Amino acid sequence: MKFGQYVIVTFILHALFFFSIFEIFLTSPIITGLESLPPKNKPLAKRVVIVSIDGMRHRTFVLKNEEGEFRAKHILGRACNQGVYARSITQLPTESRPGHVAFLGGFGEDVSAVMAGWKKNPVPFDTVLNKSTEAWAFGSPDIVDIFSEPSHVHGVTYSEELEDFSASNADYLDTWVEDQFQAFMEDPPASVHQDGVIFFLHLLGTDTNGHAHRPQSPQYVNNVDVVDKIVKNVERIVNDFFQDDETAFVVTSDHGMTEWGSHGSGSEDETVTPFIAWGSGIRHFQDLESCESFHTPAHDDIRQIDISPTISLLLGTSLPANSIGIAPFSIFNASKENLAMLKATNLRQLWHQYEAKSRSSGIPYKKLSIEKIIEAENSGLLETETLKDVVEGIFFHHRALRPVLSTLVISMMVAWQLTSVGLCGRFLTDDVRRPKFSLPIFVFTALPFILIPIVYKLSLRNSFWSFAALISIYFFSFYSKVILQLILSARPLNLIKLIFTTSFLAFITTLIFNYRWFLSLIFVSFPFLYSLLTSKYVRPSLYISFGSLSIFPMLPTINLFSLQPPDLPIYISWMVFTLSWIFPFLETFDMVARFQAISISCFSLYCLLSTFYEGLFHMILVWSLSEWMRVEIPLATFDSASFKEKSSLFSEIGKFKKDDVRRSLTFIYFIMMAFFGCGNVANLNSFSPSSILPFVHVFNPFLMGFLLFFKVILPFLPVCVAFLIIIRLLNIPFTAIFHFLVIFSDLLAFIFFFQVRDDGSWMDVGLSISYFSITLLMFLSLTLLMCVAHFMTHKKWKKMVGFDMDGLGGGGGLRNAIASVVSGLLFFTGWWIAIDAAVRCNVTANPELEMYNYYHICGVIGTLAFFMINMVSNSHLTDGSMYEDGCLGAVGARVWLLVGFLGAFGAVIASMCVLFAAYVAHPPQVPDDKMGYCPTRVYPGLAIFLQNFFIFLGSIAFKFGRQEE
């Protein structure tokens, strides 16, 4: 098999292995095409008002103010006097979409749907809004648009631009919803008078304030008062309009929030949210003791998925078809007969799902039978335990085929791993048998995989995995005798040592994912182990660098600082982001110089995305990589080595020796350090925008996700460049390293495959998926990064854009072009900032900010100075014979240049006086609601200063950056 064919088949099989977890462990709980059953109970309310306080945690909601009164005085008062208060245990993951799907749809969002992003429903499913007679939803487009697809569900949303994390207070998002609802109820359509109507209000201000300012901030805490007033006003509007006391009110939240302003995992602050219900059909369920604090409510905790059937039973509508929630029947104010019908309606809907699931699995569940269900329903003594048994049966059939399918998938990958070992034979020894297809081995190993789909009556879709295993076994049949030859040629003791060492290293590597301090132990031990294994002298700097690097995995991963820059750094950040990828190509092919250029470019970007010690970590990582290269490569060879522009990465020249295994493992552990040094996969699973605010502060999940992912992989590039230098100078075939990466990453993936889970906290679910994905695709991601490193080390700017690199040394060319471009960008940026400040903070809209037009005189003088400085060439200053006539001789040119510099410096100094005298020393006293689009109170003065500073820098860059002919 040629290497290209091997790569293609490897990619296909690993892609199947990756997607297998979504077919085996993370299958959607939704049964498509399942019809809803009509309700048996009488409705308890004509309409329900649902208020979702996005990101509100329980313990903040029940706080008291300085006067000793509850901040949510009206809502909690309703719970105490005529309703019920309980703690809602949210569905996981604790994100906005899954949380709303849980309490509106009655089931947990499957992770495959979460990975589809903030799109409309990837898989159609029922919600209480779908089942209502008619519904109106008000709030964020990220949530309302998901549930407003049916024609009878009407959505009213604001623009995404309003979701601004840089805003001083985001409670305007909530008051917007209140205003829209109030305007709607002033002249509503006649259909609001129907039975079975739902009003859904989504209040995002709390979540946005929590992300931007943290939950302990005044903005987040005071948002409770804002929400309480909104709910009070909404209740008044509804009651005044309908005047029939047939409305039920439900107030809850999709998720909570951690102290550092993130959510997604399973801590108590994220999973415990308030649930309050009162009005028609709700029984008073509070006592005086619980009303004192609400920290220990009188009612038991309610699962978030139980809210959906509660709303449906109140309205007397069909339950969402895929709901697995069990309503808390104790909160209903209903007769004994109607209460029995409420339970029967809930039971029938669950049993309908159970029957559909049992038909798909084909495996009996002995704990339940149709006779038992009919007897329980007819007895009139239906207990909640019976409903829980049905839910357990649904889960049983949902997971019944997992052991069978897991066996097929693992067999597929084991066969391919053995094939990879056979392909490695030519790099290990010269005397390797030619691969040849063995029919007896193929028939013997393939027979079980032919019988499994027949015995278990697998569907065509599930039988596909048996077919995939047969493909892998087919290739294994070619190399089975080669593997046998390698085993027989090795000494038994060496073979046992190899198997034990490989298994031990794989086990140690998996521990790093859960215990970062293992990585510290590995790097502290590395210099000692290297000296012991190679018997070489190790420089003290290697001990110091690796010891310093080992400190970082033991440091906390929580973001300790919140960056909230104004608009200005965003422009500069994206400029740096772009230019940083150009500078490495300006360097020569010298290995040391190119490694340093790439490391510096990555460092500048990493610092922009840092919130604490990440920049220091990157510096020590690069230092440790330099020391590693120097101990692996002779000093004379390393200092004088250069990359060859036309060399290929996938070379098959050379042998893969024992020391190369150690080097490859060191490379893998450096990648682990780059990944786990400043955090872990939880940083991706829990959303926190602090590190990406220099680039974007308006809610954009795709761009934010890209930047967060980019930050995680950025330190990988210097590691790959360092390893590329090592394999180039030591003549190690990367093809052999590729085979080793495939085998080692598959060993790790096997371990994490059996740890994938679809229940528990989002931290547990997300980490199990992430660990499996990272280890499985390690070989592919590292190969792609090595290709990027190869491109960045083997290409020059002149080959890509046609410029002459020699222009950097003299004669113009590229140097003049770069100087001109940089100067123009600086000049443009300076005026852009000034114009931006004039528009955002103009005198008409914000007279208190004192953004007067005469401040722009500084910029005009700086611009004139820009032209005056660059109208005088060096020859004007040195060669007076050029202008023998007139006043512009050498002396006149010098005077002209002096005036230009005086004007440039004067403009910068004057702009500094404007900044500090008018804004810093005496900041304008402007209330937050009068700021308009002006980001900060000192922004006008800061913009004037930066305008002149950038114009001055542009003058210097154009004057001294260019070379004259």
Side-chain angles (χ1 to χ4, degrees):
M1 182 186 294
K2 295 182 179 179
F3 181 70
Q5 296 172 335
Y6 170 78
V7 171
I8 293 173
V9 178
T10 299
F11 176 77
I12 293 173
L13 291 179
H14 281 75
L16 291 176
F17 193 24
F18 173 73
F19 287 111
S20 69
I21 64 172
F22 297 99
E23 290 290 322
I24 300 173
F25 300 103
L26 304 172
T27 51
S28 173
I30 300 170
I31 306 172
T32 56
L34 189 66
E35 295 182 358
S36 300
L37 301 178
K40 299 184 67 176
N41 64 288
K42 296 178 181 179
L44 303 176
K46 287 185 177 180
R47 69 199 66 86
V48 174
V49 177
I50 307 171
V51 179
S52 171
I53 313 173
D54 202 307
M56 175 53 67
R57 58 188 188 183
H58 160 72
R59 69 183 178 98
T60 302
F61 189 75
V62 297
L63 286 178
K64 295 182 179 180
N65 56 25
E66 295 78 6
E67 289 76 24
E69 294 182 342
F70 288 109
R71 291 186 174 274
K73 181 180 179 180
H74 174 77
I75 300 175
L76 296 179
R78 286 289 187 247
C80 269
N81 298 325
Q82 59 186 76
V84 59
Y85 183 93
R87 303 194 317 165
S88 170
I89 308 303
T90 66
Q91 191 66 25
L92 300 167
T94 50
E95 301 286 353
S96 291
R97 175 192 162 110
H100 284 90
V101 168
F103 73 74
L104 294 177
F107 64 91
E109 175 80 286
D110 56 292
V111 182
S112 59
V114 175
M115 292 179 67
W118 293 84
K119 301 176 183 177
K120 290 190 177 182
N121 305 337
V123 182
F125 59 84
D126 274 340
T127 66
V128 294
L129 301 180
N130 295 36
K131 294 304 179 185
S132 65
T133 308
E134 199 154 4
W136 287 267
F138 304 83
S140 167
D142 303 315
I143 296 300
V144 171
D145 287 350
I146 294 175
F147 300 98
S148 59
E149 190 169 334
S151 58
H152 68 281
V153 180
H154 313 283
V156 180
T157 62
Y158 42 73
S159 172
E160 292 182 353
E161 283 72 22
L162 284 181
E163 301 175 21
D164 191 346
F165 288 106
S166 66
S168 58
N169 197 331
D171 59 8
Y172 61 86
L173 297 173
D174 300 341
T175 55
W176 185 96
V177 173
E178 179 187 16
D179 295 340
Q180 293 298 315
F181 179 77
Q182 186 167 355
F184 170 80
M185 291 301 295
E186 288 176 359
D187 186 23
S191 53
V192 298
H193 294 283
Q194 303 176 91
D195 292 351
V197 168
I198 291 179
F199 298 106
F200 174 64
L201 281 67
H202 175 241
L203 307 181
L204 187 63
T206 311
D207 185 74
T208 306
N209 278 328
H211 283 310
H213 306 289
R214 305 296 182 262
Q216 65 272 20
S217 66
Q219 291 90 334
Y220 183 89
V221 176
N222 292 336
N223 219 134
V224 179
D225 302 76
V226 175
V227 168
D228 188 62
K229 293 176 182 177
I230 291 173
V231 173
K232 182 178 181 179
N233 189 34
V234 167
E235 183 184 10
R236 179 190 60 79
I237 293 171
V238 171
N239 290 336
D240 289 347
F241 181 84
F242 292 104
Q243 297 182 353
D244 57 4
D245 294 329
E246 294 289 340
T247 306
F249 295 87
V250 175
V251 178
T252 188
S253 177
D254 54 349
H255 57 76
M257 191 166 290
T258 63
E259 282 297 310
W260 51 94
S262 68
H263 52 82
S265 58
S267 68
E268 184 174 343
D269 276 342
E270 295 164 275
T271 57
V272 181
T273 60
F275 171 82
I276 308 97
W278 72 92
S280 180
I282 302 297
R283 185 166 70 91
H284 182 212
F285 202 98
Q286 289 297 118
D287 55 34
L288 294 176
E289 183 178 352
S290 62
C291 286
E292 290 296 324
S293 67
F294 287 97
H295 289 291
T296 55
H299 196 279
D300 295 335
D301 291 347
I302 294 176
R303 297 183 306 165
Q304 194 175 48
I305 58 174
D306 297 338
I307 299 175
S308 174
T310 303
I311 296 171
S312 294
L313 293 175
L314 282 170
L315 290 174
T317 58
S318 299
L319 273 69
N322 293 282
S323 171
I324 56 172
I326 301 173
F329 300 103
S330 58
I331 73 170
F332 292 128
N333 184 17
S335 64
K336 184 176 181 181
E337 294 76 14
N338 199 22
L339 187 61
M341 290 298 101
L342 292 170
K343 294 180 180 180
T345 300
N346 205 161
L347 174 64
R348 292 178 67 214
Q349 180 268 335
L350 292 173
W351 181 255
H352 191 44
Q353 287 187 81
Y354 173 85
E355 288 182 319
K357 288 283 188 181
S358 63
R359 287 193 296 269
S360 63
S361 73
I363 299 176
Y365 183 60
K366 298 180 180 179
K367 194 174 181 179
L368 285 177
S369 65
I370 184 63
E371 293 80 10
K372 181 179 178 180
I373 296 300
I374 294 175
E375 180 183 355
E377 185 176 351
N378 293 335
S379 66
L381 300 175
L382 184 59
E383 299 292 339
T384 305
E385 293 300 321
T386 305
L387 279 72
K388 292 181 179 179
D389 290 341
V390 178
V391 173
E392 289 179 6
I394 294 173
F395 281 112
F396 170 82
H397 288 297
H398 186 65
R399 302 169 178 174
L401 293 176
R402 287 185 180 181
V404 178
L405 298 179
S406 298
T407 301
L408 295 176
V409 171
I410 289 297
S411 301
M412 173 187 74
M413 294 309 300
V414 169
W416 187 248
Q417 195 171 38
L418 293 174
T419 304
S420 301
V421 173
L423 280 165
C424 277
R426 68 182 188 276
F427 297 107
L428 302 175
T429 179
D430 294 323
D431 185 22
V432 179
R433 299 181 60 172
R434 187 180 181 84
K436 186 178 180 182
F437 180 72
S438 175
L439 183 60
I441 292 179
F442 176 75
V443 173
F444 178 77
T445 53
L447 185 60
F449 301 98
I450 298 174
L451 296 176
I452 285 176
I454 300 173
V455 173
Y456 286 94
K457 300 177 181 179
L458 298 182
S459 64
L460 183 62
R461 180 169 180 169
N462 290 333
S463 299
F464 168 79
W465 298 108
S466 181
F467 174 73
L470 291 175
I471 294 176
S472 188
I473 290 170
Y474 169 77
F475 288 106
F476 164 73
S477 301
F478 279 90
Y479 292 91
S480 56
K481 294 183 179 179
V482 176
I483 297 170
L484 182 62
Q485 177 191 356
L486 292 174
I487 294 174
L488 294 177
S489 63
R491 295 179 181 178
L493 182 60
N494 290 340
L495 185 63
I496 294 173
K497 288 170 59 178
L498 176 63
I499 295 173
F500 174 79
T501 304
T502 305
S503 303
F504 176 75
L505 289 175
F507 173 72
I508 289 296
T509 306
T510 58
L511 291 178
I512 294 173
F513 285 80
N514 294 305
Y515 307 100
R516 293 169 61 222
W517 58 270
F518 264 98
L519 198 57
S520 299
L521 185 63
I522 291 172
F523 272 81
V524 168
S525 307
F526 176 83
F528 302 96
L529 293 175
Y530 180 86
S531 178
L532 181 66
L533 294 174
T534 61
S535 301
K536 293 182 180 179
Y537 169 73
V538 177
R539 303 193 318 170
S541 56
L542 186 72
Y543 290 96
I544 299 173
S545 62
F546 275 60
S548 302
L549 192 61
S550 65
I551 296 174
F552 289 95
M554 294 185 289
L555 296 178
T557 62
I558 299 173
N559 294 324
L560 299 182
F561 297 106
S562 174
L563 302 180
Q564 301 178 38
D567 284 348
L568 170 65
I570 292 179
Y571 309 140
I572 301 174
S573 297
W574 283 109
M575 187 188 305
V576 173
F577 184 92
T578 304
L579 295 177
S580 294
W581 296 109
I582 298 176
F583 291 149
F585 296 104
L586 304 180
E587 273 295 345
T588 63
F589 283 135
D590 179 75
M591 288 187 175
V592 177
R594 189 59 73 96
F595 171 73
Q596 292 173 347
I598 293 173
S599 300
I600 292 172
S601 295
C602 294
F603 175 73
S604 62
L605 291 176
Y606 203 61
C607 286
L608 286 174
L609 292 166
S610 299
T611 58
F612 193 24
Y613 54 76
E614 294 101 317
L616 179 61
F617 163 76
H618 192 277
M619 293 174 59
I620 297 179
L621 176 67
V622 173
W623 178 29
S624 301
L625 289 169
S626 301
E627 295 298 330
W628 177 44
M629 289 188 289
R630 291 186 180 277
V631 298
E632 296 286 2
I633 306 168
L635 186 60
T637 305
F638 179 62
D639 290 337
S640 60
S642 298
F643 289 106
K644 296 180 180 179
E645 189 170 1
K646 295 185 178 180
S647 62
S648 173
L649 174 64
F650 296 96
S651 172
E652 297 191 10
I653 302 174
K655 290 294 180 183
F656 192 68
K657 301 178 289 295
K658 182 175 66 175
D659 286 342
D660 298 332
V661 175
R662 171 181 51 78
R663 295 184 181 104
S664 300
L665 286 172
T666 305
F667 167 61
I668 291 174
Y669 288 126
F670 260 113
I671 290 292
M672 293 285 185
M673 176 60 77
F675 186 72
F676 288 103
C678 288
N680 49 40
V681 191
N683 296 126
L684 289 174
N685 294 334
S686 295
F687 172 69
S688 179
S690 299
S691 62
I692 57 178
L693 284 178
F695 290 90
V696 58
H697 59 70
V698 176
F699 185 71
N700 188 328
F702 297 103
L703 181 58
M704 288 177 166
F706 164 75
L707 290 172
L708 189 60
F709 179 75
F710 181 79
K711 175 188 176 181
V712 171
I713 67 171
L714 194 59
F716 293 2
L717 192 56
V719 178
C720 291
V721 173
F723 189 57
L724 182 63
I725 293 173
I726 291 174
I727 65 176
R728 278 284 175 266
L729 296 182
L730 298 181
N731 199 30
I732 304 172
F734 184 74
T735 305
I737 294 174
F738 181 84
H739 289 305
F740 175 79
L741 290 176
V742 170
I743 295 170
F744 192 76
S745 66
D746 283 353
L747 285 175
L748 301 179
F750 289 158
I751 298 173
F752 287 119
F753 177 79
F754 293 104
Q755 297 180 14
V756 174
R757 53 189 302 181
D758 63 346
D759 56 359
S761 71
W762 176 232
M763 184 69 72
D764 297 332
V765 176
L767 290 182
S768 68
I769 299 171
S770 301
Y771 291 165
F772 171 74
S773 305
I774 290 167
T775 53
L776 175 65
L777 302 178
M778 178 187 294
F779 81 94
L780 178 62
S781 57
L782 294 184
T783 303
L784 292 176
L785 285 168
M786 289 295 291
C787 291
V788 173
H790 183 270
F791 175 79
M792 296 189 71
T793 53
H794 290 72
K795 295 293 180 182
K796 273 191 175 182
W797 183 267
K798 70 173 184 178
K799 294 296 182 181
M800 296 187 291
V801 298
F803 282 123
D804 183 10
M805 284 295 294
D806 294 335
L808 285 174
L814 179 61
R815 174 167 177 164
N816 289 355
I818 292 177
S820 301
V821 171
V822 171
S823 176
L825 285 174
L826 289 169
F827 184 84
F828 167 79
T829 303
W831 273 105
W832 177 272
I833 294 169
I835 295 171
D836 180 69
V839 173
R840 287 173 174 263
C841 310
N842 61 80
V843 176
T844 302
N846 301 284
E848 299 88 348
L849 291 173
E850 302 178 5
M851 180 60 182
Y852 298 116
N853 291 332
Y854 54 77
Y855 288 165
H856 296 295
I857 295 176
C858 301
V860 173
I861 294 175
T863 301
L864 292 175
F866 177 93
F867 290 109
M868 292 180 68
I869 292 171
N870 289 285
M871 287 174 64
V872 179
S873 66
N874 292 334
S875 59
H876 290 162
L877 303 176
T878 58
D879 190 2
S881 62
M882 290 185 61
Y883 295 94
E884 296 179 353
D885 298 328
C887 63
L888 288 179
V891 175
R894 290 167 186 154
V895 172
W896 181 274
L897 183 64
L898 176 63
V899 173
F901 272 111
L902 288 175
F905 281 114
V908 174
I909 294 171
S911 65
M912 291 178 64
C913 293
V914 171
L915 170 61
F916 288 99
Y919 292 95
V920 176
H922 305 286
Q925 301 300 317
V926 184
D928 291 340
D929 58 350
K930 296 290 185 64
M931 289 293 293
Y933 292 100
C934 199
T936 63
R937 291 170 176 81
V938 299
Y939 182 57
L942 182 64
I944 293 296
F945 167 70
L946 289 174
Q947 174 203 23
N948 289 274
F949 183 66
F950 281 149
I951 293 174
F952 177 73
L953 291 180
S955 305
I956 300 299
F958 196 82
K959 176 65 179 175
F960 300 106
R962 301 175 74 255
Q963 289 188 340
E964 299 177 6
E965 298 291 341

